[in-house]
Amino acid sequence: MAEAIPDAPIIEIEASSRIIEYDHGRAKGPKRVTHFPVRADRALVERSGGQAARAEFDPVINAMMDTKLPTIIDIGANAALSLLGTFDEEMISAFAENNIELALAVVVTADASSLSAGAKLVAAAKTWAAATFVIDNRVRGNTDPAIVKRLADGATVTTLARAEFESHTMRFLQAMGLAAIPSLRASDLQAEYGFAQARRMVADLKAFRLAVMEAVRPAATWLVS
């Protein structure tokens, strides 16, 4: 989503900041990513009860209420289920009064826990989401299309096809993310891998980046429109 909509601010909700590539080296101007730390062990948070648990997402909700631009919110499935649990009728009404529309984009994989969490997220968003999108991520294994269709429950479904990467290409992708790919040239990697292999790496990475953006196109189109 961040690649497809380069001007959209990003709210990252994670135990530690992972989305660092978009502000790397930016000395001037506002940061694109605002990170809100949440405790990684959501089960522990829920068991703790009391004021600490209730206030866990207060800064996030305040930031959402203050948004003036189409904004991407990046959050893991477990934390998302906890966050959505705070979306009562009063909060949804407050978003509407502030002309804020919310959509949900869920990425699911072949992992059973991912499919289960995806189904729960889609169900939790039924009462407030202006649109719902499910991205069927088959990069590391094929999913069952019937299961994905059932959990999507009418949501727009797109597919990110399985990709066969050489190990060094995957390592580069995991280390650098998508943001570095557009400016990447075979000559940048030639010294380490040789020209032929470097050329193949760059071609694979650029094709993958395009495939990712195609998979999020419906959600990105909704956000900017």
Side-chain angles (χ1 to χ4, degrees):
M1 289 286 287
E3 288 293 293
I5 315 172
D7 295 327
I10 304 166
I11 292 174
E12 181 186 23
I13 307 167
E14 186 62 66
S16 59
S17 183
R18 298 178 298 112
I19 305 176
I20 59 175
E21 60 267 32
Y22 293 107
D23 288 326
H24 180 70
R26 179 180 291 187
K28 297 180 180 179
K31 297 293 186 182
R32 187 177 177 192
V33 181
T34 303
H35 172 245
F36 292 95
V38 293
R39 284 170 281 182
D41 189 342
R42 299 305 310 167
L44 178 60
V45 171
E46 300 305 326
R47 288 198 303 270
S48 66
Q51 189 63 34
R54 288 197 298 271
E56 182 80 11
F57 291 110
D58 282 0
V60 174
I61 294 167
N62 292 339
M64 292 171 65
M65 194 65 72
D66 291 339
T67 55
K68 305 300 181 187
L69 296 170
T71 299
I72 299 164
I73 300 173
D74 180 84
I75 183 170
N78 290 335
L81 285 167
S82 297
L83 174 62
L84 299 192
T86 69
F87 282 21
D88 56 20
E89 290 186 14
E90 182 181 9
M91 188 178 298
I92 297 303
S93 296
F95 282 129
E97 289 169 6
N98 283 272
N99 297 315
I100 295 172
E101 276 192 310
L102 302 171
L104 176 75
V106 178
V107 181
V108 297
T109 67
D111 182 75
S113 62
S114 172
L115 294 168
S116 175
K120 292 176 182 177
L121 286 165
V122 170
K126 277 288 186 181
T127 58
W128 54 261
T132 306
F133 306 91
V134 174
I135 296 133
D136 179 7
N137 179 3
R138 302 180 181 179
V139 169
R140 295 191 176 181
N142 290 328
T143 55
D144 184 332
I147 293 176
V148 173
K149 182 178 180 180
R150 185 163 62 249
L151 75 85
D153 194 19
T156 300
V157 179
T158 52
T159 300
L160 180 60
R162 184 162 187 167
E164 297 294 341
F165 289 118
E166 295 169 89
S167 59
H168 45 270
T169 305
M170 178 59 78
R171 287 195 298 271
F172 180 93
L173 181 61
Q174 290 172 334
M176 303 300 293
L178 298 177
I181 294 174
S183 60
L184 193 63
R185 301 290 182 269
S187 56
D188 299 328
L189 305 172
Q190 182 175 348
E192 184 172 359
Y193 298 106
F195 177 75
Q197 197 169 24
R199 181 171 174 270
R200 188 167 62 248
M201 285 178 64
V202 171
D204 287 347
L205 288 166
K206 291 191 173 185
F208 180 69
R209 178 179 177 273
L210 178 60
V212 170
M213 291 202 295
E214 286 293 340
V216 302
R217 180 195 288 269
T221 301
W222 180 90
L223 184 59
V224 297
S225 64

